[in-house]
Amino acid sequence: MDLATLRALRPTRYTDAADGYRAASGMASSARERIDDEIARSMRQSLKGEAATEALGQLQALSGNFHYVQVECGLAATALDAFAHEMTAARRKLEAALEDARAADFTVGADGSVTYPAGGGESGGERPHGGSAAGLTDPTAAALGRQAGALDPNPAHRRAQDIADRIAAALQDATEADEKWAPKLRALKADDDLTVSAGDWTDAKKDTEGVLEGAAGYLDSLPHPPAHGTPAENAAWWTSLTDTQRADYLSVHPDTVGALDGVPAGVRDEANRTLLSEARGRAELDYDAWLRAHPEPERYTDYFNPMTGTEMKGVTVESQAWKDWKEARDDARGRLGSMEAIEARFDSYADESTRPYLLGFDDKDNGRVIVSVGDPDTADNVVTYVPGTGAGLSSVDGDISRAELLQDQASVVDPTHRTASIMWLGYDAPQDLMGDATDAKYADNARDSLSSFLTGVDTAHHGQVNSTVLGHSYGTLVAGETMRDHPDLPVDHAILVGSPGVGVNHAKDLNIPADRVWAATAKNDLVNLAPPPAGTLAPLNPKAYMRLFDDHSIMYGYDPTSDDFGGQRFKVADGKLPGSDGPMPAHSQYWEGASLTSMAKIATGGTP
């Protein structure tokens, strides 16, 4: 970058280009929303058959393509804004140096050197000669140049050297910005095909990381979200940003924006949908690699009569090798299948009241997912379901289905009000009953996160909202500890089903009126046998057997269905017997029949 080029450069041309890409991103977003919210939804409501199914599949692919365009154009806009920001700073540095040169009657050459006149006190009848100073950016050379200027009896030398160095620094800044952003912008060029593949989404993640790294200086100039901010502080930060700042921050920090409690649900959904698409792309590539590394063995093998040991002609059975391979394949595909199940909900809802919002997503470790069925920012009732032991990304489909069942039933029992039903897996849930679930640390680590989320729902809501927390299994302990430790939590009702205890002995300790705390446990739910913690000497500790002699002491405080707890109870079916359909079928039957209806009535402010 030379002096003439930098002087002629107009950063506004790049901000104008950024506006163009941002507009393209917005148009792609609008097109995607129109496909999802209008065209596809209307088709699902009115058309059936193979042709309709095929057309919907093509619309879903088109929606995904628009989403990709939205993300990539957003990144291009942010990159151009960052480039313009850096070039603006370099030009300002250059113009300030040139202005100082003009003020001192110095001449600036095309190469950035500065010529200065004779000046200073006479010595031997002569004034010190003038000269020329070349800009230096190497620290050692620059130090020597400044030293030479300081020793020159002509004071103009010292000033000219400073101006020349500033010009050189400005040119160097501009050159570095140009060299940095040229390849990053070229990297944003998409494949020349019409298919947005898993590889494209993986590249989008790399593109985001590249732009984020390059735009650090520009992003630092924007207002930052508050560190560990409250939902109200998060909301205030988002409101304070201009539309351009919001778009730029969202394009490179979807993980940050998507996790900010208090920010509008639509914004969080947009951010997390990007994270989901990128994660799904990675998972699909990983699964394809697994398939290549583990070729499918022969599925069928000859059958031998176990009694005689002779081969049965014409009879085959599935081989053990194939069964083992299938089990490993299903395990390798588990997380990908769960991500597909989440995305399928965006491709299948038929009514705006059941539109899904992805309010949280993280595929690290066991995974965290928060999905709202219906818009929590405008709903009259919001019920937040906290799942328990075994919950994670690989099994999230069933938990989201429970939220859908509750939302559907709420619309039946209270059709005049809107209900949003949220599945909140915003914590690391214990994964096994006999080990993890006997430790309260998972709930201890979750209570502040759940409190912030519930407060954020209230903060982002456009008016008054009736809020209910629904805990199941270990999730009741998470809900109970959260309510216990946050007395100002904006919660109106609590529902506790299949509970091993909620961290308190009395309903009043949950900081809402006891008559708004509702609990139920099915007769055949094995959680009824959960004893209090007995320590390492369990067989010798009388506390381990206390549950046999009273009706209130269980693992984490009093049984919320007992008289001693002091809350309300509602009836549920006995449930299936242990072992009749898995080890604990009754523990998962609360989203059926009268139990589901009762929970819907409570969540909408009624009485079961």
Side-chain angles (χ1 to χ4, degrees), residues 89 135 189 373 398 482:
K189 183 179 179 180
V373 184
T482 301

Side-chain angles (χ1 to χ4, degrees), residues 433 524-526 575-589:
L433 289 172
N524 293 323
D525 189 341
L526 288 182
K576 296 179 181 179
L577 291 171
S580 63
D581 185 13
M584 295 179 63
H587 194 57
S588 302
Q589 289 188 273

Side-chain angles (χ1 to χ4, degrees), residues 523-603:
K523 178 181 178 180
N524 293 323
D525 189 341
L526 288 182
V527 79
N528 285 305
L529 301 180
T536 56
L537 300 177
L540 304 178
N541 191 332
K543 289 182 66 178
Y545 308 99
M546 188 178 299
R547 189 72 175 92
L548 302 175
F549 303 104
D550 63 40
D551 69 342
H552 60 260
S553 295
I554 52 176
M555 188 172 292
Y556 297 112
Y558 287 0
D559 182 349
T561 66
S562 67
D563 293 337
D564 300 85
F565 189 75
Q568 301 260 51
R569 287 171 290 197
F570 61 97
K571 293 181 179 181
V572 295
D574 291 348
K576 296 179 181 179
L577 291 171
S580 63
D581 185 13
M584 295 179 63
H587 194 57
S588 302
Q589 289 188 273
Y590 297 100
W591 282 262
E592 300 176 5
S595 172
L596 177 62
T597 301
S598 293
M599 292 194 297
K601 288 180 178 179
I602 296 167

Side-chain angles (χ1 to χ4, degrees), residues 380-383 406 410 414 419 466-468 493 495 598-606:
D380 302 293
N381 308 300
V382 175
V383 53
L406 185 55
D414 186 11
T419 297
N466 172 52
S467 175
T468 300
H493 310 277
I495 304 173
S598 293
M599 292 194 297
K601 288 180 178 179
I602 296 167
T604 54

Side-chain angles (χ1 to χ4, degrees), residues 227-243:
H228 311 294
T230 65
E233 290 170 339
N234 295 337
W237 167 75
W238 185 254
T239 302
S240 73
L241 300 179
T242 66
D243 289 343

